[in-house]
Amino acid sequence: MANKTLCHYALNHEKGQKTPFEAFGQDGKRWEDMQQRAKFLLPYRKYQRFIAEKHGELNDFIARQLNDTRYISKVAKEYLKHVCDKVQVTQGGVTAILRQHWGANNILNPAIRNLGWADGEYWVCVNIDNQVLEIKPWQYEAKKGEIADEMFKRLKGKGAIKVLQGNIVKGIFHPKKQRDDHRHHAVDALVIACTETKFLQYVSEMEGKGQTLREEEKKMAFPMPWATFWKDANAAIGRVLVSFKNRKRLVKMARKKVVNIQEKKFDAKSLAPRGGLHNETFYGKYT
């Protein structure tokens, strides 16, 4: 519970990856007010970390988190080696870059072309034919999913099936990874299987220099696994069937009074369906 923080999204976005001091320390009055509130609200050690001007304990904390992640990855790797000859550990950030660059995000949610909007981040509401019903700019100030929920409720009667978040680049809308379809795990698995060690090294080197990966660099550093990768991946994911575990008992033990030839009564036990097999309606197939 000590790690939980209530924070307005816009302020958290303003802070970014900086420490509180790095983000707000230059604004004297604002920073002074923040320190006073932190002193009143936070445990002493956490307050000391909050107002720290140097990374010190923050770096130690990050190092501990990384070590925990490395340890879990190492244990999982050793465990899986009992059933697989070759096991490699990759990074989620690298998988996200490759998934976007290779177009894997568009397998479950195809890109939408010919949108006359400027480049940027948007909410897009679509119907079952992937036709755009409405589009709105994504806003940092809005609560998470608030705009999407409002769009979907308002347009559901017009055939809306979902609202996607993504980016428009040169008139083409590229949806971000959607977790409402469980096949996204299969997409991730495919991308990870095609991830080479040199990709990890390249991303780590770029991040170490504080540089971002431009599209030209991605093309040079991350070539497609093979020429027909997207077509093959799309066909394979299309054949995936998602199985859901049934959490309700489908059968029950039924008791029935039975009379045998000697006219003696006894209880007979057997399994019987639990509840109705179908919904009771007035509708049915007719010719």
Side-chain angles (χ1 to χ4, degrees):
M1 289 301 295
N3 281 333
K4 292 190 178 297
T5 304
L6 182 63
C7 180
H8 194 282
Y9 192 92
L11 187 68
N12 197 40
H13 177 70
E14 181 184 351
K15 174 185 171 293
Q17 299 298 317
K18 301 176 183 177
T19 65
F21 176 76
E22 289 173 340
F24 311 110
Q26 309 306 316
D27 189 338
K29 182 66 170 63
R30 189 184 189 190
W31 177 236
E32 186 178 338
D33 292 343
M34 281 187 176
Q35 290 184 85
Q36 291 300 320
R37 289 194 296 274
K39 188 174 184 179
F40 175 75
L41 294 169
L42 301 177
Y44 180 73
R45 284 187 61 80
K46 193 168 185 179
Y47 163 70
Q48 290 294 104
R49 290 196 294 271
F50 183 89
I51 65 172
E53 298 183 11
K54 296 182 179 180
H55 287 281
E57 290 190 22
L58 178 64
N59 286 339
D60 293 341
F61 172 78
I62 293 174
R64 289 198 301 273
Q65 297 299 307
L66 289 174
N67 284 335
D68 288 347
T69 303
R70 292 189 190 105
Y71 177 72
I72 293 169
S73 299
K74 182 178 179 180
V75 172
K77 181 178 180 180
E78 293 303 318
Y79 181 80
L80 290 171
K81 277 186 174 180
H82 290 286
V83 292
C84 303
D85 295 329
K86 184 179 179 181
V87 182
Q88 289 180 300
V89 179
T90 185
Q91 299 170 5
V94 177
T95 303
I97 291 172
L98 294 174
R99 195 175 55 238
Q100 178 68 32
H101 178 62
W102 290 341
N105 284 341
N106 296 335
I107 292 175
L108 299 179
N109 292 288
I112 304 172
R113 300 177 179 274
N114 302 320
L115 291 178
W117 287 73
D119 289 2
E121 195 164 358
Y122 295 88
W123 291 110
V124 174
C125 185
V126 298
N127 62 16
I128 195 169
D129 297 318
N130 210 40
Q131 296 173 330
V132 177
L133 301 178
E134 188 172 83
I135 180 170
K136 283 188 176 182
W138 191 85
Q139 300 173 8
Y140 287 114
E141 304 83 39
K143 294 179 181 178
K144 187 176 182 181
E146 188 178 70
I147 294 178
D149 292 342
E150 184 274 330
M151 288 174 69
F152 183 74
K153 289 177 182 177
R154 181 163 43 81
L155 297 172
K156 191 174 181 181
K158 296 182 179 180
I161 61 166
K162 57 186 168 184
V163 178
L164 304 171
Q165 182 185 356
N167 294 285
I168 290 181
V169 181
K170 297 179 181 178
I172 302 175
F173 177 73
H174 299 277
K176 291 187 176 181
K177 178 179 177 180
Q178 307 296 319
R179 299 179 182 276
D180 56 350
D181 188 328
H182 291 295
R183 291 178 298 170
H184 75 82
H185 296 296
V187 174
D188 279 345
L190 179 59
V191 172
I192 290 171
C194 296
T195 301
E196 300 181 30
T197 305
K198 62 182 180 182
F199 297 166
L200 303 175
Q201 294 171 342
Y202 185 77
V203 172
S204 297
E205 183 180 340
M206 296 293 289
E207 290 180 344
K209 295 178 180 178
Q211 298 174 345
T212 57
L213 288 165
R214 296 189 297 272
E215 288 305 313
E216 307 82 55
E217 293 170 331
K218 290 179 184 177
K219 290 177 183 177
M220 295 174 61
F222 312 127
M224 296 291 281
W226 60 88
T228 58
F229 170 79
W230 194 92
K231 181 180 179 182
D232 296 341
N234 186 52
I237 298 300
R239 293 193 295 269
V240 172
L241 295 177
V242 179
S243 174
F244 294 90
K245 182 179 179 180
N246 180 57
R247 299 185 180 278
K248 296 181 180 179
R249 286 192 301 119
L250 298 179
V251 295
K252 64 180 180 180
M253 186 62 71
R255 296 173 181 270
K256 187 177 182 180
K257 290 288 184 179
V258 177
V259 179
N260 64 9
I261 299 176
Q262 287 79 26
E263 297 187 353
K264 292 182 179 181
K265 295 181 178 180
F266 63 94
D267 288 337
K269 297 180 181 179
S270 64
L271 293 176
R274 183 172 179 264
L277 184 61
H278 302 287
N279 292 331
E280 296 176 354
T281 70
F282 294 108
Y283 300 97
K285 183 178 180 180
Y286 66 91
T287 57

mmCIF file of all heavy atoms in Angstrom, residues 177-208:
data_model
loop_
_atom_site.group_PDB
_atom_site.id
_atom_site.type_symbol
_atom_site.label_atom_id
_atom_site.label_comp_id
_atom_site.label_asym_id
_atom_site.label_seq_id
_atom_site.Cartn_x
_atom_site.Cartn_y
_atom_site.Cartn_z
ATOM 1 N N LYS A 177 -1.767 -2.129 -29.607
ATOM 2 C CA LYS A 177 -2.087 -3.493 -29.192
ATOM 3 C C LYS A 177 -3.393 -3.505 -28.404
ATOM 4 O O LYS A 177 -3.577 -2.731 -27.473
ATOM 5 C CB LYS A 177 -0.956 -4.051 -28.321
ATOM 6 C CG LYS A 177 -1.218 -5.462 -27.790
ATOM 7 C CD LYS A 177 -0.049 -5.937 -26.960
ATOM 8 C CE LYS A 177 -0.305 -7.300 -26.364
ATOM 9 N NZ LYS A 177 0.829 -7.789 -25.555
ATOM 10 N N GLN A 178 -4.312 -4.387 -28.785
ATOM 11 C CA GLN A 178 -5.599 -4.518 -28.119
ATOM 12 C C GLN A 178 -5.610 -5.825 -27.322
ATOM 13 O O GLN A 178 -5.303 -6.885 -27.848
ATOM 14 C CB GLN A 178 -6.743 -4.523 -29.145
ATOM 15 C CG GLN A 178 -6.719 -3.342 -30.106
ATOM 16 C CD GLN A 178 -6.925 -2.016 -29.412
ATOM 17 O OE1 GLN A 178 -7.749 -1.900 -28.513
ATOM 18 N NE2 GLN A 178 -6.169 -1.008 -29.829
ATOM 19 N N ARG A 179 -5.980 -5.720 -26.049
ATOM 20 C CA ARG A 179 -5.949 -6.898 -25.184
ATOM 21 C C ARG A 179 -7.318 -7.560 -25.023
ATOM 22 O O ARG A 179 -7.466 -8.487 -24.231
ATOM 23 C CB ARG A 179 -5.402 -6.507 -23.800
ATOM 24 C CG ARG A 179 -3.978 -5.968 -23.875
ATOM 25 C CD ARG A 179 -3.460 -5.557 -22.512
ATOM 26 N NE ARG A 179 -2.119 -5.004 -22.603
ATOM 27 C CZ ARG A 179 -0.995 -5.704 -22.621
ATOM 28 N NH1 ARG A 179 -1.059 -7.032 -22.559
ATOM 29 N NH2 ARG A 179 0.177 -5.123 -22.699
ATOM 30 N N ASP A 180 -8.325 -7.076 -25.764
ATOM 31 C CA ASP A 180 -9.651 -7.673 -25.641
ATOM 32 C C ASP A 180 -9.769 -8.967 -26.433
ATOM 33 O O ASP A 180 -10.730 -9.706 -26.279
ATOM 34 C CB ASP A 180 -10.730 -6.687 -26.083
ATOM 35 C CG ASP A 180 -10.499 -6.170 -27.500
ATOM 36 O OD1 ASP A 180 -9.415 -6.427 -28.049
ATOM 37 O OD2 ASP A 180 -11.398 -5.494 -28.038
ATOM 38 N N ASP A 181 -8.803 -9.248 -27.284
ATOM 39 C CA ASP A 181 -8.765 -10.493 -28.057
ATOM 40 C C ASP A 181 -7.584 -11.308 -27.546
ATOM 41 O O ASP A 181 -6.429 -10.907 -27.668
ATOM 42 C CB ASP A 181 -8.582 -10.163 -29.545
ATOM 43 C CG ASP A 181 -8.730 -11.397 -30.434
ATOM 44 O OD1 ASP A 181 -8.367 -12.504 -29.987
ATOM 45 O OD2 ASP A 181 -9.195 -11.256 -31.577
ATOM 46 N N HIS A 182 -7.869 -12.477 -26.950
ATOM 47 C CA HIS A 182 -6.816 -13.279 -26.312
ATOM 48 C C HIS A 182 -5.765 -13.797 -27.295
ATOM 49 O O HIS A 182 -4.706 -14.276 -26.878
ATOM 50 C CB HIS A 182 -7.437 -14.450 -25.552
ATOM 51 C CG HIS A 182 -8.214 -14.027 -24.347
ATOM 52 N ND1 HIS A 182 -7.635 -13.429 -23.263
ATOM 53 C CD2 HIS A 182 -9.543 -14.099 -24.072
ATOM 54 C CE1 HIS A 182 -8.551 -13.161 -22.356
ATOM 55 N NE2 HIS A 182 -9.720 -13.542 -22.828
ATOM 56 N N ARG A 183 -6.031 -13.672 -28.581
ATOM 57 C CA ARG A 183 -5.044 -14.117 -29.553
ATOM 58 C C ARG A 183 -3.822 -13.199 -29.588
ATOM 59 O O ARG A 183 -2.825 -13.522 -30.235
ATOM 60 C CB ARG A 183 -5.687 -14.197 -30.944
ATOM 61 C CG ARG A 183 -6.712 -15.327 -31.086
ATOM 62 C CD ARG A 183 -7.333 -15.322 -32.462
ATOM 63 N NE ARG A 183 -8.053 -14.076 -32.723
ATOM 64 C CZ ARG A 183 -8.525 -13.726 -33.916
ATOM 65 N NH1 ARG A 183 -8.348 -14.526 -34.952
ATOM 66 N NH2 ARG A 183 -9.178 -12.578 -34.070
ATOM 67 N N HIS A 184 -3.894 -12.062 -28.873
ATOM 68 C CA HIS A 184 -2.717 -11.187 -28.845
ATOM 69 C C HIS A 184 -1.525 -11.893 -28.199
ATOM 70 O O HIS A 184 -0.377 -11.558 -28.464
ATOM 71 C CB HIS A 184 -3.044 -9.863 -28.135
ATOM 72 C CG HIS A 184 -3.149 -9.936 -26.639
ATOM 73 N ND1 HIS A 184 -2.043 -9.912 -25.817
ATOM 74 C CD2 HIS A 184 -4.224 -10.012 -25.828
ATOM 75 C CE1 HIS A 184 -2.437 -9.962 -24.557
ATOM 76 N NE2 HIS A 184 -3.751 -10.037 -24.533
ATOM 77 N N HIS A 185 -1.796 -12.898 -27.355
ATOM 78 C CA HIS A 185 -0.704 -13.690 -26.779
ATOM 79 C C HIS A 185 0.008 -14.493 -27.873
ATOM 80 O O HIS A 185 1.234 -14.640 -27.847
ATOM 81 C CB HIS A 185 -1.246 -14.635 -25.706
ATOM 82 C CG HIS A 185 -1.827 -13.935 -24.521
ATOM 83 N ND1 HIS A 185 -1.072 -13.149 -23.678
ATOM 84 C CD2 HIS A 185 -3.089 -13.889 -24.043
ATOM 85 C CE1 HIS A 185 -1.843 -12.662 -22.721
ATOM 86 N NE2 HIS A 185 -3.078 -13.096 -22.924
ATOM 87 N N ALA A 186 -0.763 -15.001 -28.822
ATOM 88 C CA ALA A 186 -0.170 -15.757 -29.932
ATOM 89 C C ALA A 186 0.654 -14.831 -30.823
ATOM 90 O O ALA A 186 1.719 -15.214 -31.318
ATOM 91 C CB ALA A 186 -1.270 -16.437 -30.744
ATOM 92 N N VAL A 187 0.169 -13.598 -31.026
ATOM 93 C CA VAL A 187 0.920 -12.622 -31.821
ATOM 94 C C VAL A 187 2.252 -12.310 -31.138
ATOM 95 O O VAL A 187 3.306 -12.289 -31.780
ATOM 96 C CB VAL A 187 0.100 -11.321 -32.013
ATOM 97 C CG1 VAL A 187 0.941 -10.258 -32.717
ATOM 98 C CG2 VAL A 187 -1.168 -11.607 -32.808
ATOM 99 N N ASP A 188 2.204 -12.073 -29.827
ATOM 100 C CA ASP A 188 3.443 -11.806 -29.075
ATOM 101 C C ASP A 188 4.410 -12.985 -29.176
ATOM 102 O O ASP A 188 5.618 -12.800 -29.351
ATOM 103 C CB ASP A 188 3.125 -11.544 -27.604
ATOM 104 C CG ASP A 188 2.656 -10.116 -27.366
ATOM 105 O OD1 ASP A 188 2.854 -9.275 -28.261
ATOM 106 O OD2 ASP A 188 2.100 -9.838 -26.289
ATOM 107 N N ALA A 189 3.873 -14.194 -29.046
ATOM 108 C CA ALA A 189 4.725 -15.389 -29.108
ATOM 109 C C ALA A 189 5.425 -15.487 -30.458
ATOM 110 O O ALA A 189 6.611 -15.837 -30.536
ATOM 111 C CB ALA A 189 3.889 -16.641 -28.840
ATOM 112 N N LEU A 190 4.704 -15.165 -31.521
ATOM 113 C CA LEU A 190 5.280 -15.221 -32.863
ATOM 114 C C LEU A 190 6.396 -14.185 -33.027
ATOM 115 O O LEU A 190 7.463 -14.477 -33.571
ATOM 116 C CB LEU A 190 4.180 -14.980 -33.906
ATOM 117 C CG LEU A 190 4.613 -14.976 -35.376
ATOM 118 C CD1 LEU A 190 5.245 -16.313 -35.745
ATOM 119 C CD2 LEU A 190 3.418 -14.691 -36.272
ATOM 120 N N VAL A 191 6.142 -12.963 -32.541
ATOM 121 C CA VAL A 191 7.150 -11.906 -32.638
ATOM 122 C C VAL A 191 8.388 -12.268 -31.822
ATOM 123 O O VAL A 191 9.531 -12.095 -32.273
ATOM 124 C CB VAL A 191 6.562 -10.554 -32.167
ATOM 125 C CG1 VAL A 191 7.662 -9.488 -32.073
ATOM 126 C CG2 VAL A 191 5.469 -10.097 -33.119
ATOM 127 N N ILE A 192 8.184 -12.792 -30.625
ATOM 128 C CA ILE A 192 9.310 -13.185 -29.763
ATOM 129 C C ILE A 192 10.122 -14.286 -30.429
ATOM 130 O O ILE A 192 11.360 -14.289 -30.374
ATOM 131 C CB ILE A 192 8.790 -13.638 -28.381
ATOM 132 C CG1 ILE A 192 8.252 -12.433 -27.609
ATOM 133 C CG2 ILE A 192 9.896 -14.320 -27.583
ATOM 134 C CD1 ILE A 192 7.530 -12.790 -26.333
ATOM 135 N N ALA A 193 9.433 -15.234 -31.086
ATOM 136 C CA ALA A 193 10.138 -16.327 -31.755
ATOM 137 C C ALA A 193 11.033 -15.811 -32.878
ATOM 138 O O ALA A 193 12.039 -16.444 -33.218
ATOM 139 C CB ALA A 193 9.125 -17.330 -32.310
ATOM 140 N N CYS A 194 10.686 -14.659 -33.455
ATOM 141 C CA CYS A 194 11.468 -14.092 -34.556
ATOM 142 C C CYS A 194 12.466 -13.031 -34.080
ATOM 143 O O CYS A 194 13.135 -12.397 -34.897
ATOM 144 C CB CYS A 194 10.534 -13.471 -35.601
ATOM 145 S SG CYS A 194 9.445 -14.659 -36.410
ATOM 146 N N THR A 195 12.537 -12.825 -32.766
ATOM 147 C CA THR A 195 13.449 -11.819 -32.205
ATOM 148 C C THR A 195 14.866 -12.370 -32.133
ATOM 149 O O THR A 195 15.084 -13.454 -31.588
ATOM 150 C CB THR A 195 12.991 -11.391 -30.801
ATOM 151 O OG1 THR A 195 11.673 -10.846 -30.889
ATOM 152 C CG2 THR A 195 13.926 -10.338 -30.225
ATOM 153 N N GLU A 196 15.807 -11.638 -32.695
ATOM 154 C CA GLU A 196 17.210 -12.050 -32.667
ATOM 155 C C GLU A 196 17.958 -11.289 -31.578
ATOM 156 O O GLU A 196 17.588 -10.183 -31.193
ATOM 157 C CB GLU A 196 17.858 -11.785 -34.027
ATOM 158 C CG GLU A 196 17.202 -12.539 -35.174
ATOM 159 C CD GLU A 196 17.894 -12.277 -36.495
ATOM 160 O OE1 GLU A 196 19.112 -12.023 -36.484
ATOM 161 O OE2 GLU A 196 17.213 -12.306 -37.540
ATOM 162 N N THR A 197 19.039 -11.888 -31.091
ATOM 163 C CA THR A 197 19.838 -11.274 -30.026
ATOM 164 C C THR A 197 20.358 -9.901 -30.426
ATOM 165 O O THR A 197 20.394 -8.975 -29.620
ATOM 166 C CB THR A 197 21.023 -12.183 -29.657
ATOM 167 O OG1 THR A 197 20.538 -13.487 -29.309
ATOM 168 C CG2 THR A 197 21.798 -11.611 -28.483
ATOM 169 N N LYS A 198 20.692 -9.740 -31.692
ATOM 170 C CA LYS A 198 21.231 -8.456 -32.145
ATOM 171 C C LYS A 198 20.180 -7.342 -32.048
ATOM 172 O O LYS A 198 20.529 -6.175 -31.892
ATOM 173 C CB LYS A 198 21.768 -8.567 -33.566
ATOM 174 C CG LYS A 198 20.730 -8.924 -34.627
ATOM 175 C CD LYS A 198 21.395 -9.061 -36.000
ATOM 176 C CE LYS A 198 20.384 -9.410 -37.085
ATOM 177 N NZ LYS A 198 21.032 -9.591 -38.405
ATOM 178 N N PHE A 199 18.890 -7.712 -32.133
ATOM 179 C CA PHE A 199 17.833 -6.712 -31.974
ATOM 180 C C PHE A 199 17.857 -6.156 -30.552
ATOM 181 O O PHE A 199 17.739 -4.947 -30.339
ATOM 182 C CB PHE A 199 16.457 -7.318 -32.255
ATOM 183 C CG PHE A 199 16.267 -7.802 -33.667
ATOM 184 C CD1 PHE A 199 15.205 -8.624 -33.997
ATOM 185 C CD2 PHE A 199 17.145 -7.434 -34.675
ATOM 186 C CE1 PHE A 199 15.010 -9.062 -35.289
ATOM 187 C CE2 PHE A 199 16.969 -7.873 -35.983
ATOM 188 C CZ PHE A 199 15.901 -8.696 -36.284
ATOM 189 N N LEU A 200 17.994 -7.051 -29.565
ATOM 190 C CA LEU A 200 18.046 -6.630 -28.165
ATOM 191 C C LEU A 200 19.244 -5.725 -27.912
ATOM 192 O O LEU A 200 19.145 -4.709 -27.221
ATOM 193 C CB LEU A 200 18.115 -7.855 -27.249
ATOM 194 C CG LEU A 200 16.994 -8.893 -27.374
ATOM 195 C CD1 LEU A 200 17.279 -10.088 -26.478
ATOM 196 C CD2 LEU A 200 15.657 -8.284 -27.013
ATOM 197 N N GLN A 201 20.374 -6.105 -28.473
ATOM 198 C CA GLN A 201 21.594 -5.323 -28.284
ATOM 199 C C GLN A 201 21.454 -3.936 -28.898
ATOM 200 O O GLN A 201 21.882 -2.941 -28.310
ATOM 201 C CB GLN A 201 22.787 -6.062 -28.902
ATOM 202 C CG GLN A 201 23.122 -7.376 -28.202
ATOM 203 C CD GLN A 201 24.155 -8.184 -28.949
ATOM 204 O OE1 GLN A 201 24.411 -7.960 -30.139
ATOM 205 N NE2 GLN A 201 24.760 -9.160 -28.262
ATOM 206 N N TYR A 202 20.814 -3.861 -30.063
ATOM 207 C CA TYR A 202 20.669 -2.580 -30.751
ATOM 208 C C TYR A 202 19.767 -1.634 -29.960
ATOM 209 O O TYR A 202 20.090 -0.457 -29.772
ATOM 210 C CB TYR A 202 20.101 -2.798 -32.151
ATOM 211 C CG TYR A 202 20.027 -1.530 -32.977
ATOM 212 C CD1 TYR A 202 21.170 -0.994 -33.558
ATOM 213 C CD2 TYR A 202 18.819 -0.870 -33.148
ATOM 214 C CE1 TYR A 202 21.108 0.171 -34.313
ATOM 215 C CE2 TYR A 202 18.742 0.297 -33.905
ATOM 216 C CZ TYR A 202 19.890 0.809 -34.481
ATOM 217 O OH TYR A 202 19.823 1.968 -35.204
ATOM 218 N N VAL A 203 18.628 -2.163 -29.475
ATOM 219 C CA VAL A 203 17.699 -1.332 -28.703
ATOM 220 C C VAL A 203 18.350 -0.866 -27.410
ATOM 221 O O VAL A 203 18.224 0.298 -27.012
ATOM 222 C CB VAL A 203 16.398 -2.100 -28.407
ATOM 223 C CG1 VAL A 203 15.516 -1.303 -27.451
ATOM 224 C CG2 VAL A 203 15.637 -2.367 -29.700
ATOM 225 N N SER A 204 19.072 -1.766 -26.734
ATOM 226 C CA SER A 204 19.751 -1.396 -25.488
ATOM 227 C C SER A 204 20.775 -0.296 -25.728
ATOM 228 O O SER A 204 20.913 0.633 -24.937
ATOM 229 C CB SER A 204 20.441 -2.622 -24.877
ATOM 230 O OG SER A 204 19.490 -3.610 -24.537
ATOM 231 N N GLU A 205 21.493 -0.392 -26.845
ATOM 232 C CA GLU A 205 22.498 0.614 -27.186
ATOM 233 C C GLU A 205 21.840 1.969 -27.444
ATOM 234 O O GLU A 205 22.321 3.001 -26.983
ATOM 235 C CB GLU A 205 23.266 0.166 -28.431
ATOM 236 C CG GLU A 205 24.390 1.113 -28.839
ATOM 237 C CD GLU A 205 25.127 0.631 -30.075
ATOM 238 O OE1 GLU A 205 25.041 -0.565 -30.401
ATOM 239 O OE2 GLU A 205 25.776 1.477 -30.727
ATOM 240 N N MET A 206 20.729 1.974 -28.164
ATOM 241 C CA MET A 206 20.022 3.216 -28.455
ATOM 242 C C MET A 206 19.473 3.851 -27.181
ATOM 243 O O MET A 206 19.566 5.062 -26.975
ATOM 244 C CB MET A 206 18.875 2.961 -29.441
ATOM 245 C CG MET A 206 19.309 2.497 -30.811
ATOM 246 S SD MET A 206 20.222 3.753 -31.733
ATOM 247 C CE MET A 206 18.925 4.915 -32.103
ATOM 248 N N GLU A 207 18.887 3.018 -26.314
ATOM 249 C CA GLU A 207 18.338 3.536 -25.061
ATOM 250 C C GLU A 207 19.445 4.076 -24.165
ATOM 251 O O GLU A 207 19.264 5.069 -23.464
ATOM 252 C CB GLU A 207 17.550 2.441 -24.332
ATOM 253 C CG GLU A 207 16.243 2.080 -25.032
ATOM 254 C CD GLU A 207 15.490 0.995 -24.301
ATOM 255 O OE1 GLU A 207 16.104 0.319 -23.446
ATOM 256 O OE2 GLU A 207 14.293 0.806 -24.582
ATOM 257 N N GLY A 208 20.597 3.410 -24.186
ATOM 258 C CA GLY A 208 21.737 3.865 -23.383
ATOM 259 C C GLY A 208 22.203 5.248 -23.795
ATOM 260 O O GLY A 208 22.675 6.037 -22.978
#
